[in-house]
Amino acid sequence: MGIVPLRRRLFTFIDLLRCRRAPSRFAFDGLARPARDRRRPRRYREGGARGESSLGRLIYAVAAAAALCVQGLGAEARAEPRARVEGELGDDLRDAIQRAIGDIDDPIETRFEARRRARAAAEDAIAVLRSEGYYAYSVEPDVSESDPPVPLVRIQPGPRFTLGEAAIDWQGEAPDEPSQAAARDAVDLEPGAPGRAAEVVAAEGRIVATLQGRGYADASPRPREVIVDHADDSLTPTYRIAAGRLVRLNGVELRTDGRTRPAWVDGLAPWTPGERYSPDSVGELERRLLDTGVYDSVTVALAPAERETAEGLRPVVVSLAERKRRSIEAGASYSTTDGAGVDVRWTRYNVLGRADTLAVLGRLSEQDSRVGVDLTLPHWRRAQQTLVLGAAAYDVSTDAYDETGFGVRTDVTRRYGKTSYLTVGGTLDASRTKDRRPEDLSSLGRDIVTASVLGEVLLDRSNDPLDPRRGWRVAARAEPTVLLGEENLPYVRVQVQGTGYLPLDDQARTVLAGRLRVGRILNGSIPEVPASRRFFAGGGGSVRGFPYQAVGPRLADNTPKGGLSLFEASAEVRRDLTERWGVALFVDAGSVGSSGAVDLGDLAVGAGFGVRYNLGFAPIRVDIATPVSNRRGEAAFQIYLSIGQSF
């Protein structure tokens, strides 16, 4: 029998978003059943098999998983629609109904089973029609006379209903006039537009969000009313909204069993007592606490209405679960060029009660050994500003130089947005450096005190810090430096790097990435500038295919000389093969100038390919590269392993 709605109905949207099948099916059930309709459409109920058991029980071996994949491919080939849709429907509407009805693998053996599936498919079709604004529909489940029988759903959608003039009916005290106007603007339903249920529901959410954003924290919807008028094929919603009272914020109420000082948390609040409630402000306080990395969990919420003070202010309750006080981390590495290395880090959290981190670090390797201590104070003096104090003793031994010394440093980093930073700081080092004189290759040992001032800016407009697929980044760094020793030398070391990422398809499965880096030391010469302060190129973050420090001028005994200027460029094509696996082809080039500008005719070029495995948060990168030009006895290829893209 056909299912035909009445001429005029009053709807409540209580079960508007009823999901009755797996997420891959059409989950939106459109408008709710009529509240005043005595002749309701027949309700068809599903029966049949239960859902398939989960494949995520981890009890299958690899061979069994492979067998299931093969079986799944065969099943997909045999799948057919649960019911055949008939009627004069637009392509988009037909496709939406067919997706909601879904496919099935089991063959139909009886007419009873075919009729049951047809009834279930009819109810799915009704949900789609309502959600798309068709309320004068006729839907008839049936079964063909063929053998085996085929479930049928005959559909006449009728006219698509259009939106009338939406209204807001304030329940209780109405908000102030500017907030009422903002709520009306938030409805954003154009009269005459298709009466899609999802858009009607979304408008209610916008009204509530607008009121909360203007200080009405307790704003909430009441059951909405929608009149479906079959006389003019219109749908007119009326939103019943309880705005509540305007909320003004008080200070922070801290709940924790840890060591965090309440006064420090209160100082992080991005509001002053008496300001209107703002969900963005409350959320910002939660983000600031989470950014410190000291807490296992952070919850920030407005206190209930009964906690309001006599002055009409409500506190914000902050609940902190602090991580364990101490942690120990250890790691090991090995490289054919850098040798073996061991790293150890001991960390103490929240010593000062303001989410601080005290770390003692140690590294032992053939090339770079050091021990140091760092103290990090997040949100120092103001939010989004971090102070780092550090000291370290080090012993560095490379092909170009040896250096032993002790240094202290301090820097302040100010964050803008999520990934852009401005850093200023300074360092003071006392070291003994050994390198070679260019003219006679004799050993040159110098005791030097180095004082540097640092200024660095990073603008990151890429979409991901570890796996960027679109956007760009620009970083610039300047270090005015004074060398104090047998001879005093002031100079400035400047570096600028830019990277760009261009997706070649809508899904960004193929990405063209490029990098350009230049550097210059001003007011210095070789050997006045110690080797440890010069520019070098070559290696995984520079010119792949060449070992560390292998690009650039060399002394007569083949020792890397370093230079006063630097040029590097990279081009890389990245391609996703599957959800997890990807590949990359790349070309790197670089050159180091020993006296003036870089000689681009002396470029060292390396090329290679890589494999990427996506961990979900970042890819594991394995690159193999070989020198293409300017090869001077290097190995035939180099292998690089890291987490994250090369740039």
Side-chain angles (χ1 to χ4, degrees):
M1 59 176 290
I3 303 174
V4 183
L6 296 177
R7 293 289 299 167
R8 181 179 176 90
R9 294 176 181 167
L10 179 66
F11 287 85
T12 59
F13 277 38
I14 296 176
D15 63 342
L16 185 60
L17 292 174
R18 181 161 50 89
C19 178
R20 305 179 315 130
R21 291 198 183 275
S24 60
R25 304 278 305 277
F26 196 94
F28 187 76
D29 195 20
L31 296 171
R33 297 296 186 234
R36 299 182 182 175
D37 182 10
R38 297 181 179 179
R39 294 174 51 204
R40 297 191 179 187
R42 180 174 179 180
R43 300 282 303 217
Y44 295 106
R45 302 193 178 275
E46 296 182 62
R50 304 279 183 181
E52 296 181 2
S53 60
S54 172
L55 296 180
R57 298 179 179 176
L58 301 180
I59 60 172
Y60 298 103
V62 175
L68 286 173
C69 292
V70 174
Q71 181 180 358
L73 291 174
E76 183 177 356
R78 297 192 304 269
E80 59 184 26
R82 185 182 297 270
R84 191 169 67 203
V85 176
E86 296 182 349
E88 297 181 2
L89 304 170
D91 292 340
D92 292 342
L93 182 59
R94 182 182 294 274
D95 291 343
I97 292 174
Q98 198 65 69
R99 286 195 302 271
I101 292 174
D103 298 332
I104 195 166
D105 300 332
D106 299 334
I108 296 175
E109 297 180 354
T110 65
R111 295 186 65 82
F112 174 81
E113 174 66 16
R115 188 168 298 279
R116 186 188 64 80
R117 293 186 183 182
R119 289 173 177 173
E123 190 168 339
D124 290 334
I126 291 172
V128 175
L129 291 167
R130 290 177 178 274
S131 68
E132 290 296 319
Y134 295 92
Y135 302 100
Y137 55 79
S138 173
V139 177
E140 181 180 359
D142 202 354
V143 176
S144 71
E145 298 297 332
S146 61
D147 189 17
V150 177
L152 305 176
V153 180
R154 296 189 175 93
I155 301 174
Q156 293 298 327
R160 170 176 271 183
F161 282 53
T162 58
L163 291 170
E165 189 71 37
I168 300 177
D169 181 12
W170 299 107
Q171 306 293 296
E173 183 180 355
D176 56 52
E177 185 55 41
S179 297
Q180 291 186 47
R184 288 192 294 268
D185 292 340
V187 174
D188 196 25
L189 294 178
E190 182 179 354
R196 295 188 178 93
E199 296 177 6
V200 173
V201 174
E204 182 180 75
R206 291 194 296 269
I207 295 171
V208 173
T210 298
L211 291 172
Q212 291 176 345
R214 298 183 63 87
Y216 293 87
D218 301 319
S220 61
R222 298 293 183 262
R224 67 189 75 81
E225 180 180 274
V226 177
I227 295 177
V228 177
D229 192 341
H230 290 252
D232 58 3
D233 299 331
S234 67
L235 180 148
T236 305
T238 298
Y239 299 100
R240 297 189 176 106
I241 304 295
R245 296 178 57 186
L246 179 65
V247 175
R248 297 190 180 275
L249 295 174
N250 202 354
V252 172
E253 181 181 300
L254 178 62
R255 296 178 181 176
T256 179
D257 296 329
R259 302 166 298 283
T260 301
R261 293 185 284 111
W264 178 75
V265 177
D266 196 56
L268 283 184
W271 67 83
T272 56
E275 286 187 13
R276 282 190 174 199
Y277 165 82
S278 168
D280 291 339
S281 295
V282 174
E284 177 62 22
L285 176 58
E286 183 172 276
R287 284 189 293 271
R288 291 177 180 181
L289 291 167
L290 287 170
D291 284 346
T292 65
V294 171
Y295 305 105
D296 283 335
S297 68
V298 175
T299 302
V300 180
L302 183 67
E306 55 266 22
R307 297 286 309 281
E308 187 172 287
T309 67
E311 295 80 13
L313 306 180
R314 282 164 67 176
V316 173
V317 180
V318 176
S319 301
L320 301 177
E322 299 192 16
R323 64 187 301 171
K324 294 182 179 179
R325 293 191 178 191
R326 302 174 184 85
S327 68
I328 298 178
E329 304 168 67
S333 62
Y334 178 78
S335 168
T336 55
T337 56
D338 300 339
V342 177
D343 294 270
V344 178
R345 176 186 174 104
W346 177 89
T347 306
R348 174 75 182 270
Y349 300 100
N350 219 3
V351 177
L352 305 178
R354 40 108 61 242
D356 52 279
T357 301
L358 177 65
V360 178
L361 310 96
R363 176 172 175 78
L364 179 63
S365 71
E366 298 178 18
Q367 188 176 87
D368 185 353
S369 298
R370 62 184 60 221
V371 60
V373 58
D374 285 343
L375 175 64
T376 303
L377 304 178
H379 306 301
W380 179 71
R381 299 182 67 88
R382 61 184 297 180
Q384 311 301 343
Q385 185 167 277
T386 301
L387 171 67
V388 178
L389 304 172
Y394 50 86
D395 182 12
V396 179
S397 178
T398 71
D399 292 341
Y401 62 87
D402 296 333
E403 185 177 38
T404 302
F406 176 82
V408 295
R409 68 183 179 93
T410 179
D411 59 63
V412 178
T413 299
R414 174 76 174 158
R415 192 181 78 180
Y416 297 90
K418 293 184 177 180
T419 53
S420 295
Y421 302 87
L422 173 64
T423 301
V424 295
T427 63
L428 182 64
D429 285 82
S431 63
R432 181 168 182 80
T433 301
K434 295 181 180 180
D435 52 12
R436 294 183 180 275
R437 298 180 186 273
E439 55 273 11
D440 57 11
L441 302 182
S442 61
S443 178
L444 178 61
R446 290 182 284 185
D447 294 324
I448 302 173
V449 175
T450 306
S452 299
V453 177
L454 166 67
E456 183 174 18
V457 61
L458 169 64
L459 298 178
D460 189 345
R461 297 296 181 267
S462 64
N463 67 312
D464 190 282
L466 294 176
D467 189 16
R469 294 173 181 266
R470 52 175 54 88
W472 53 269
R473 299 172 184 166
V474 174
R477 180 185 180 100
E479 297 175 81
T481 303
V482 176
L483 300 179
L484 304 174
E486 297 178 359
E487 296 181 1
N488 298 337
L489 174 68
Y491 68 88
V492 179
R493 194 174 194 265
V494 180
Q495 297 181 74
V496 178
Q497 176 170 289
T499 58
Y501 312 94
L502 178 65
L504 301 183
D505 56 86
D506 293 340
Q507 292 76 32
R509 294 178 58 85
T510 303
V511 177
L512 179 62
R515 178 182 71 95
L516 179 65
R517 180 187 179 202
V518 294
R520 187 77 166 88
I521 295 177
L522 306 175
N523 193 40
S525 63
I526 296 176
E528 290 178 323
V529 178
S532 60
R533 309 290 172 175
R534 301 171 196 161
F535 289 113
F536 293 89
S542 177
V543 183
R544 286 166 287 185
F546 292 84
Y548 178 61
Q549 296 182 338
V551 173
R554 301 197 181 195
L555 302 177
D557 64 350
N558 208 34
T559 299
K561 181 180 178 181
L564 304 180
S565 57
L566 171 71
F567 173 85
E568 292 178 353
S570 300
E572 187 166 298
V573 179
R574 303 165 184 168
R575 171 66 180 175
D576 290 343
L577 300 180
T578 67
E579 183 178 350
R580 291 290 185 182
W581 291 97
V583 295
L585 298 175
F586 57 84
V587 176
D588 295 339
S591 182
V592 174
S594 59
S595 56
V598 171
D599 181 7
L600 297 182
D602 192 36
L603 282 176
V605 179
F609 68 93
V611 177
R612 310 289 187 263
Y613 180 78
N614 191 355
L615 297 173
F617 65 92
I620 292 179
R621 171 172 62 93
V622 180
D623 289 337
I624 301 176
T626 184
V628 175
S629 69
N630 237 345
R631 183 174 176 180
R632 290 177 287 190
E634 290 84 9
F637 62 91
Q638 302 282 330
I639 300 177
Y640 308 93
L641 173 64
S642 182
I643 292 181
Q645 297 289 0
S646 54
F647 57 87

